Amino acid sequence: MTSIGVLLVLHSAFSCQQYRGLVSSMPSELVSIPPTDVVVEVGLGFLLCLVGQLVGVGSVRPIVGPKHKPIVAPPYQTRDFDKYNHRLQALRKQQQQQQQQQQQY
């Protein structure tokens, strides 16, 4: 299927070159616009190449295997998110203590 798509794209390129060769001898403003049959042929060839490659891939395997281990940073190396998460927890504890002290007065 992919080879048919490649052949269609190559044929459309050849047809476009022939068209430009014929039109270049004529005084016309439509030289830059390819004919519609060439555009349709390129689109069809591209779709055939795309479908051929997608069909040829075969079965898709899952990204995560059956023995998935969670990624944990070593204690001597922390990520920025971990630091931020700990700071947020500390701020929450501090706010709760302040609220409890205000309720006591």
Side-chain angles (χ1 to χ4, degrees), residues 9-86:
V9 171
L10 289 175
H11 182 264
S12 64
F14 182 73
S15 297
C16 191
Q17 282 294 88
Q18 280 186 336
Y19 174 75
R20 285 187 178 223
L22 289 174
V23 174
S24 65
S25 62
M26 297 181 201
S28 176
E29 298 173 356
L30 300 176
V31 175
S32 64
I33 300 172
T36 55
D37 63 335
V38 171
V39 173
V40 169
E41 194 173 4
V42 167
L44 185 63
F46 173 75
L47 287 177
L48 282 174
C49 286
L50 179 67
V51 169
Q53 289 298 310
L54 290 176
V55 168
V57 169
S59 63
V60 181
R61 294 184 296 173
I63 294 173
V64 178
K67 297 180 182 178
H68 173 66
K69 295 181 190 176
I71 299 173
V72 179
Y76 56 89
Q77 291 179 339
T78 59
R79 301 174 301 217
D80 290 338
F81 176 75
D82 294 336
K83 293 177 186 175
Y84 177 75
N85 194 12
H86 291 303

